[in-house]
Amino acid sequence: MPPVPEADALVADTIAGVHQPVVDELARRGTPFRGVLYAGLMLGPDGPKVLEFNVRFGDPETQVVLPRLRTDLLELLLAATEPGGLAGAEPDWDPRAAVCVVLASRGYPGAATTGDAIAGLDALPAGTEVFHAGTAERDGAIVTAGGRVLGVTALGADRAAARAAAYAAADVISFDGRQLRRDIAA
């Protein structure tokens, strides 16, 4: 199930028109692809346009997928290392929607401030996932160490509920210069 269940047709079309041609071309060149292939897309009137490909986990895009995965990720990753190892794999997905809100440092996306103590990580609502991106440990405290500091992800019965939960959790976390967009999943 795709991260946004109401987008089934778009996901199927994107896999067929964006991902599969890349995978097929790599196989044709003798370098078959095994792993995660993320396509950063812009959707417009003429369909999806590829901005970038990533072949790793990370960033807010993956941070809304992993909390929904009920299947053991390690088992899938180990299977993916073997030719044909994912044949017949049927990952089990949580049907709820997920939303991730990024907390960034002052100055991001330019020269971001670092070293600001982060408060509230111990007071988050149950069920919230916080992904550390630009953090470090200094003298027993978690501090900012980059532009994108934290990805705060929550699940909900629908996108509105997941959005409300993610923002409620994000608002518990504070640090000097903290900035976040308020239009995610709007």
Side-chain angles (χ1 to χ4, degrees):
M1 174 181 290
V4 182
E6 52 275 3
D8 287 344
L10 176 62
V11 170
D13 291 347
T14 302
I15 290 170
V18 174
H19 292 86
Q20 196 60 52
V22 171
V23 171
D24 291 346
E25 178 61 19
L26 289 169
R28 187 190 69 75
R29 293 181 182 194
T31 56
F33 181 78
R34 291 184 197 93
V36 176
L37 180 61
Y38 166 78
L41 305 171
M42 290 293 291
L43 299 178
D46 297 326
K49 303 293 184 209
V50 178
L51 297 176
E52 65 177 347
F53 283 107
N54 285 319
V55 291
R56 59 178 171 77
F57 284 124
D59 296 323
E61 298 85 9
T62 301
Q63 294 165 9
V64 295
V65 175
L66 291 180
R68 295 186 59 241
L69 181 63
R70 291 177 172 164
T71 305
D72 186 318
L73 176 61
L74 180 59
E75 288 180 18
L76 291 172
L77 292 173
L78 290 174
T81 66
E82 300 294 328
L86 290 175
E90 296 282 338
D92 183 26
W93 296 99
D94 187 313
R96 295 176 294 170
V99 170
C100 180
V101 175
V102 172
L103 304 183
S105 288
R106 178 184 8 253
Y108 179 80
T113 60
T114 62
D116 299 311
I118 300 171
L121 293 172
D122 57 348
L124 293 168
T128 304
E129 299 278 347
V130 176
F131 296 89
H132 289 245
T135 65
E137 189 269 330
R138 186 182 71 201
D139 300 323
I142 303 298
V143 299
T144 62
R148 286 188 190 173
V149 177
L150 300 166
V152 181
T153 303
L155 300 174
D158 56 24
R159 189 172 59 219
R163 180 180 191 274
Y167 277 108
D171 287 339
V172 170
I173 301 169
S174 63
F175 53 87
D176 285 345
R178 181 192 81 145
Q179 54 179 335
L180 67 154
R181 291 177 46 176
R182 293 283 177 182
D183 62 345
I184 304 301

